[in-house]
Amino acid sequence: TVLEAAGARVPSAMTGRSLMGVLTSKKSGLVDPSRDFVVTSFERHGWCRPNGATYPIRAIRTHGRMYLWNLEPDRWPNGDPSFPDVPYAGRGTEFMDIDPSPTKTYLIEHSKNPDVAGSFEVCLGKRPGEELYDMKADPQQMRNLAAESAHAATKRELRERLEKYLRETDDPRIRGKN
């Protein structure tokens, strides 16, 4: 989009599509029906897991649904809770992919309290391999529907769309590369 707006040549390696047609349109609502989803790719980097391991996530968002594929669900997304090789180890080194804060400290210190345990899990716990959310009924994404049989067809359709896009764009994770 920025390159097109500037009149610059778009390198062939780029997989995105310009939004100029949408931005300059006089229409409102869904201007371009082919743009009915967004794919995101996230790699949590930080020396907070053994051997500097990342936490890779791929997701697809449609108008009403969000599907997340956590490619390494056995890893802690926010860093291991007691990673021993942190150069500046000491208090507050748990979950090092999150900056120190009173909220983080409170969640860690009260994680065994039944009133806090659920919040601890949502904020700092491991994530399942797949997550599916109904963005209209649950915009804060608090109820994962991925394991519910009533949503199996939606989960399968979104996963297939995501995998197709990842193959088309030669995503290294779809090829099994770390």
Side-chain angles (χ1 to χ4, degrees):
T1 303
V2 172
L3 293 174
E4 182 180 340
R9 187 184 71 75
V10 178
S12 62
M14 295 188 80
T15 58
R17 294 186 310 157
S18 175
L19 289 168
M20 286 303 294
V22 174
L23 296 174
T24 58
S25 175
K26 302 289 185 217
K27 296 179 185 177
S28 63
L30 182 60
V31 173
D32 179 353
S34 72
R35 292 183 174 275
D36 65 340
F37 70 98
V38 172
V39 171
T40 59
S41 173
F42 191 67
E43 298 278 334
R44 292 190 84 151
H45 294 278
W47 200 262
C48 56
R49 289 173 209 86
N51 302 314
T54 64
Y55 189 81
I57 306 167
R58 300 296 183 265
I60 185 168
R61 169 76 155 85
T62 65
H63 184 67
R65 305 277 189 217
M66 169 76 90
Y67 171 80
L68 295 101
W69 181 18
N70 297 301
L71 286 96
E72 297 289 347
D74 291 333
R75 294 181 188 163
W76 294 89
N78 299 303
D80 284 7
S82 58
F83 186 54
D85 298 326
V86 177
Y88 40 91
R91 180 145 170 65
T93 59
E94 308 92 346
F95 304 105
M96 296 264 319
D97 242 356
I98 300 176
D99 292 337
S101 71
T103 303
K104 175 182 167 183
T105 300
Y106 181 86
L107 288 171
I108 292 169
E109 289 177 355
H110 297 90
S111 63
K112 303 296 184 215
N113 177 330
D115 294 331
V116 178
S119 296
F120 174 87
E121 283 303 315
V122 167
C123 295
L124 300 171
K126 290 183 178 179
R127 309 301 305 160
E130 295 179 291
E131 298 177 66
L132 176 66
Y133 298 97
D134 180 332
M135 301 304 291
K136 292 178 182 174
D138 180 20
Q140 286 77 33
Q141 302 174 25
M142 299 300 292
R143 183 170 171 230
N144 183 3
L145 305 171
E148 296 183 18
S149 60
H151 301 281
T154 300
K155 181 178 78 171
R156 183 175 49 257
E157 180 223 332
L158 290 175
R159 177 158 182 155
E160 287 172 0
R161 284 181 79 180
L162 176 60
E163 287 180 351
K164 179 179 184 278
Y165 181 85
L166 296 175
R167 279 191 297 280
E168 288 171 356
T169 58
D170 201 28
D171 185 283
R173 293 291 180 175
I174 201 75
R175 291 184 282 130
K177 296 206 174 187
N178 290 330

